[in-house]
Amino acid sequence: MRRVTGLAARTISSSVAINPRLSQTIAITTISSSEPISRRFGGLPEISTPSFAGGFAGIVFFSAAAASSLGQEVHAKEMAQKFNPKEVVLYQYEACPFCNKVKAFLDYNKIPYKIVEVNPISKKEIKWSDYKKVPILTVDGEQMVDSSVIIDSLFQKMHPEISKSEEDEETKWRKWVDNHLVHLLSPNIYRNTSEALESFDYITTHGNFSFTERLVAKYAGATAMYFVSKKLKKKYNITDERAALYDAAETWVDALKERPYLGGSKPNLADLAVFGVLRPIRYLRSGKDMVDNTRIGEWYSRMENTVGEPSRIKE
């Protein structure tokens, strides 16, 4: 049975004059990407056990952790043999869910990559490209765009022997991420003034903004996105944004059918897509509420451990 808690969205009755260009840019930073418009942990509970049982449990837990680590090393070595590019560069906005989809794929497969944080206002970092949205990925100079297309292209380079069906379970849930789950994020992270400001604290701290842009973006951007989120609620027929987010989380857990991952014993591309788009909101109020009020926490924790540390190259 799904547990859905409806939280009524609070409203504000103030209006703030903002720079239209900045408002449009902030909207692009947070709710758009390379995709068309149609298309951020739980743990083991503490239990009181006799010393022998506790020691045995510790051995089991240690063994499982060691096995997981070994499995990741083997996985990374296998991938290095199949796909070993000299340079991978991701042009991104830190808070963009589609960019985080690509990063989840790269991190899980231990593909070293550099990040270029794009300034959402000037976009000077991608002036070299005719394509003006993110993510953009370059692999040894070859440009790739659109998060799902990027992932498909990389997957085929790594697994040329595997062909994907448009009708399989994995593809179905990847489309669900792009066409449904991602549209629930903005209405949730900007649902009231306090959450909008919290979200822009994260966006401006991690994004490529000048000092002045950071100040303006936090307040003007948060105000703009508060009103944009209301329009998105109407566009996608969302009545209660929190209830919709909880329902999506429960729908995903139901899809697992008690498997550790949708892919079974290890994540597939759908697992990585869901994890990627949720990662930017995990420690925002909306993400904390989602974990506290649904069953998704255990799966998310498994994914975080399995994906592991970022494989980005720090300069």
Side-chain angles (χ1 to χ4, degrees), residues 78-140:
E78 290 177 347
M79 292 305 101
Q81 293 174 356
K82 296 181 179 180
F83 179 64
N84 189 22
K86 294 179 180 179
E87 183 180 58
V88 178
V89 182
L90 176 63
Y91 295 81
Q92 66 147 30
Y93 303 143
E94 181 64 26
C96 168
F98 298 107
C99 298
N100 276 277
K101 277 174 57 183
V102 175
K103 286 194 291 187
F105 180 88
L106 296 172
D107 293 340
Y108 174 65
N109 289 291
K110 310 305 176 192
I111 300 173
Y113 61 98
K114 297 178 182 178
I115 280 182
V116 175
E117 194 69 28
V118 177
N119 183 296
I121 297 175
S122 68
K123 297 186 179 181
K124 61 183 179 180
E125 294 80 7
I126 56 175
K127 282 187 176 179
W128 56 270
S129 174
D130 292 333
Y131 191 81
K132 300 304 179 184
K133 298 179 182 180
V134 294
I136 296 174
L137 190 76
T138 61
V139 179
D140 293 339

Side-chain angles (χ1 to χ4, degrees), residues 1-7 173 176 180-181 184 188 236-256 274 278 286 289-296:
M1 180 180 295
R2 297 180 184 173
R3 293 178 293 146
V4 179
T5 304
L7 299 178
W173 288 102
W176 174 82
H180 178 67
L181 180 61
L184 302 178
N188 273 279
Y236 295 110
N237 298 314
I238 302 170
T239 303
D240 184 326
E241 56 279 305
R242 274 297 197 271
L245 180 63
Y246 297 165
D247 184 66
E250 294 288 354
T251 296
W252 174 248
V253 175
D254 287 343
L256 299 177
V274 176
L278 292 180
S286 55
D289 286 350
M290 176 186 68
V291 170
D292 289 344
N293 290 281
T294 72
R295 298 168 294 156
I296 202 169

